[in-house]
Amino acid sequence: ETGVTQSPTHLIKTRGQQVTLRCSSQSGHNTVSWYQQALGQGPQFIFQYYREEENGRGNFPPRFSGLQFPNYSSELNVNALELDDSALYLCASSLVQQETQYFGPGTRLLVL
Amino acid sequence: DQQVKQNSPSLSVQEGRISILNCDYTNSMFDYFLWYKKYPAEGPTFLISISSIKDKNEDGRFTVFLNKSAKHLSLHIVPSQPGDSAVYFCAAKWLTGANSKLTFGKGITLSVRP
């Protein structure tokens, strides 16, 4: 059974640029959630995708957007990057309504 | 407004002793609770969970206790081992909510001294 994978592992961007982060779900999981973890904080829910549609969103502006593909992989896109977007971005997969979410290793984004 | 609180940022215990990590929550709609462990440069790893219909769940060295009236849960690790040194996150969710989002605390850094 393959776990959750994310790419890239690290990324450096400058303010105003756009970034795309990628996630492959654990085998058999059809729900993907994205979280942002700032330094010294717990992960914060960005949004969740189920059956290729957004299924809930946290307190993040519209410049954070996502996609889920038929194979359940997912992308997180962030436009007009700001310095405060520097964080670890975590992807988690689960079966819908399953209690446990399984996390990938994360993508460390640095915005200069 | 932090709905899941881990008020102690760090804990240091001797190898072989018990580690007790505490977590409080404010949202009474939460009905499922999870603990995750996180090593540097890795994603959170699921440890143990508990439903609000129970007050205790045990898995090997790990036991989680839930006190609904106090909106408090704790993770006990017995005996503690140096490999348990990591950041521990408490998370909560509302099972019947529109989605299965997790609300996390800020985490507790556990250090187990040999």
Side-chain angles (χ1 to χ4, degrees), chain A residues 7 52 64 66 69 72-73 94 97 108 111-112:
Chain A
S7 63
E52 302 176 52
F64 286 77
F69 300 100
Y72 304 134
S73 66
S94 62
Q97 297 304 317
R108 175 78 59 187
V111 182
L112 300 176

Side-chain angles (χ1 to χ4, degrees), chain A:
Chain A
E1 188 176 89
T2 307
V4 180
T5 60
Q6 291 185 244
S7 63
T9 56
H10 295 84
L11 204 51
I12 300 175
K13 291 285 188 178
T14 56
R15 196 169 44 181
Q17 284 188 311
Q18 178 265 342
V19 68
T20 297
L21 310 181
R22 294 178 175 82
C23 171
S24 291
S25 302
Q26 184 167 318
S27 178
H29 287 182
N30 56 16
T31 301
V32 174
S33 303
W34 285 91
Y35 294 82
Q36 179 196 67
Q37 186 183 7
L39 202 60
Q41 302 294 317
Q44 298 288 315
F45 176 73
I46 303 175
F47 44 55
Q48 182 180 89
Y49 278 82
Y50 169 63
R51 290 185 175 176
E52 302 176 52
E53 294 202 358
E54 190 178 286
N55 181 39
R57 187 178 186 92
N59 189 26
F60 282 83
R63 58 189 186 85
F64 286 77
S65 63
L67 284 172
Q68 186 183 30
F69 300 100
N71 65 355
Y72 304 134
S73 66
S74 176
E75 285 182 356
L76 164 65
N77 299 289
V78 187
N79 293 322
L81 283 166
E82 300 177 359
L83 297 179
D84 285 349
D85 295 334
S86 296
L88 179 68
Y89 288 85
L90 295 161
C91 167
S93 74
S94 62
L95 289 173
V96 64
Q97 297 304 317
Q98 185 192 43
E99 298 86 359
T100 303
Q101 294 182 13
Y102 296 91
F103 284 82
T107 294
R108 175 78 59 187
L109 173 65
L110 178 61
V111 182
L112 300 176

Side-chain angles (χ1 to χ4, degrees), chain B residues 8-65:
Chain B
S8 302
S10 62
L11 176 68
S12 180
V13 300
Q14 191 82 36
E15 181 179 5
R17 299 289 185 98
I18 184 172
S19 295
I20 300 177
L21 291 76
N22 294 308
C23 177
D24 298 292
Y25 62 97
T26 58
N27 189 339
S28 56
M29 299 299 291
F30 289 144
D31 53 10
Y32 199 80
F33 304 89
L34 307 91
W35 284 93
Y36 285 85
K37 177 170 78 172
K38 187 178 184 302
Y39 294 118
E42 294 184 12
T45 302
F46 170 71
L47 264 182
I48 192 169
S49 61
I50 188 166
S51 164
S52 60
I53 62 173
K54 295 185 176 181
D55 53 19
K56 177 182 174 182
N57 189 25
E58 193 171 354
D59 184 2
R61 296 187 297 115
F62 302 92
T63 303
V64 57
F65 296 92

